Amino acid sequence: MRVPENRPLRSSALALAIGSLFCTAAWAQAPGNLPLERQVDEAFRQSMRSPADATATARYAQLLAQSGNYEGAIAAIERQLLDPNAPASVRLDLGVLYYRIGSYDMAAGLLRRAIEDPRLDPAQRSQAQALLKDIDK
């Protein structure tokens, strides 16, 4: 076994991985990102203080999606589906998020249910139909 020959390569790979980690951490803490992180944190606290407040939950989910955390946004919005009177836009919003993460079957099901809801406004209905056409391709 000739381990010593592989050591420089392993050391280089380790150094590259550590360097990437530090660069990512530095980028995540860049001044331009801190306000969004703070907004997400505050929106989370607000949604926890008032769990029945759909507006607070929607704001939290919107900020999560804006920060690229689609899975977190999905989890926040899915909570609203527990309410039988949840607005039709909730299924549309979830469908869009599932579409963004590539879960097209989930997206299509939610978009179809949103379209079936007579409360969905025409612009939102059009958006849902366009996404369904794209999924069907």
Side-chain angles (χ1 to χ4, degrees), residues 42-107:
E42 179 53 37
F44 172 74
R45 284 190 289 278
Q46 180 61 37
S47 70
M48 290 296 106
R49 281 192 294 265
S50 307
D53 184 355
T55 303
T57 301
R59 174 77 176 140
Y60 175 54
Q62 176 188 17
L63 289 168
L64 285 169
Q66 188 178 339
S67 71
N69 184 350
Y70 299 132
E71 290 87 357
I74 287 168
I77 294 175
E78 281 184 338
R79 210 174 61 190
Q80 292 181 323
L81 288 180
L82 296 173
D83 178 3
N85 297 318
S89 61
V90 170
R91 284 191 175 75
L92 173 62
D93 294 341
L94 276 171
V96 169
L97 290 168
Y98 275 110
Y99 177 87
R100 285 184 179 177
I101 65 169
S103 185
Y104 301 119
D105 289 338
M106 283 294 293

Side-chain angles (χ1 to χ4, degrees), residues 6-59:
N6 292 333
R7 268 206 177 126
L9 180 59
R10 288 182 184 164
S11 297
S12 297
L14 181 60
L16 180 61
I18 291 171
S20 296
L21 179 64
F22 285 123
C23 289
T24 302
W27 178 83
Q29 294 178 4
N33 294 331
L34 286 178
L36 181 57
E37 290 175 21
R38 287 185 185 137
Q39 290 177 38
V40 169
D41 290 343
E42 179 53 37
F44 172 74
R45 284 190 289 278
Q46 180 61 37
S47 70
M48 290 296 106
R49 281 192 294 265
S50 307
D53 184 355
T55 303
T57 301
R59 174 77 176 140

